Amino acid sequence: MELMKKGHACVRLTKEGRTLVIDPGGFSEEDAALGADAVLVTHEHPDHFDAGRLRTAMEANPAAEIWTLRSVAEKLVGAFPGRVHTVGHGDVVDAAGFEVEVHGELHAVIHPDIPRITNVGYVVDGAVFHPGDALTVPGREVDTLLLPVHAPWSKVSEVIDYLREVRPRLAYDVHDGLLSQNAHGVYGRMLGPDGPGVGGAAHTRLEPGDSVVVSAGR
């Protein structure tokens, strides 16, 4: 399965001629969702959910479908009846030939005065986990973790402890669209062999457009 970074929190997964896109939001590339057979959206924040990008993708491929939580589905179902599916924690669905497990329920706390919204993460083909905007531990082994390295709701000590708890073989940065080049170097050192240790995970950052091959691997 090929994994391609499409900017900020968005990735494309491709296998056997089918493509699944996760979180094509406003900070991802304009064409992030184009060509998708299936789209997963973790929550309603605009850096993860961009209605225009989704509309373009759905119109370009009349067979494309979306799986997401209720707060996002309600915004889309009227435009694409029968093609938008609501999911929640514990669900397992087939999305264009990809097996998708749904994990988690709430967005991380940004500030106690800001109400928490819903958020779900997705394990794809038992191998790749995208947690959205939360440090959800999926309760199962995953080979590849898409690691939200920077957000208003996180600090690097939490990111390190999250890696230690999930214990993936590989960790690729997501949610890094607000970081400067200088910051990428700092995070790379903290999450690499010169840092305090991340439970044995191999940490890598992909530039938008870069791709790697991922598999279950364990």
Side-chain angles (χ1 to χ4, degrees), residues 119-149:
N119 175 94
V120 294
Y122 301 106
V123 174
V124 180
D125 281 356
V128 178
F129 181 47
H130 191 312
D133 271 12
L135 299 180
T136 300
V137 178
R140 54 157 298 155
E141 289 190 341
V142 290
D143 182 71
T144 301
L145 175 65
L146 301 176
L147 179 67
V149 294

Side-chain angles (χ1 to χ4, degrees), residues 16-35:
E16 300 172 355
R18 299 186 302 275
T19 297
L20 180 148
V21 175
I22 306 176
D23 279 1
F27 295 168
S28 59
E29 296 174 301
E30 287 284 344
D31 66 348
L34 277 177

Side-chain angles (χ1 to χ4, degrees), residues 28-205:
S28 59
E29 296 174 301
E30 287 284 344
D31 66 348
L34 277 177
D37 300 291
V39 179
L40 309 178
V41 180
T42 62
H43 66 287
E44 64 197 73
H45 284 163
D47 56 326
H48 296 255
F49 163 52
D50 184 280
R53 282 171 170 75
L54 289 177
R55 187 175 298 108
T56 298
M58 297 288 276
E59 291 172 351
N61 179 6
E65 298 180 70
I66 297 171
W67 283 261
T68 186
L69 38 63
R70 185 173 304 280
S71 60
V72 174
E74 289 173 347
K75 296 176 171 64
L76 298 169
V77 67
F80 304 105
R83 300 170 64 190
V84 180
H85 312 283
T86 300
V87 295
H89 177 70
D91 289 342
V92 180
V93 300
D94 182 295
F98 295 84
E99 182 183 84
V100 178
E101 300 173 15
V102 185
H103 294 264
E105 300 181 70
L106 290 172
H107 192 287
V109 175
I110 301 171
H111 186 276
D113 292 348
I114 299 175
R116 294 176 76 180
I117 62 170
T118 49
N119 175 94
V120 294
Y122 301 106
V123 174
V124 180
D125 281 356
V128 178
F129 181 47
H130 191 312
D133 271 12
L135 299 180
T136 300
V137 178
R140 54 157 298 155
E141 289 190 341
V142 290
D143 182 71
T144 301
L145 175 65
L146 301 176
L147 179 67
V149 294
H150 174 260
W153 45 265
S154 74
K155 56 185 179 180
V156 72
S157 64
E158 296 170 336
V159 174
I160 290 168
D161 288 344
Y162 182 54
L163 268 173
R164 290 176 177 179
E165 189 168 5
V166 177
R167 297 189 66 83
R169 184 173 64 92
L170 303 169
Y172 293 103
D173 289 355
V174 292
H175 219 282
D176 57 357
L178 297 180
L179 292 178
S180 69
Q181 285 302 123
N182 289 337
H184 292 311
V186 171
Y187 276 77
R189 285 193 297 275
M190 293 296 293
L191 300 172
D194 295 329
V198 291
H203 167 259
T204 305
R205 177 176 180 268

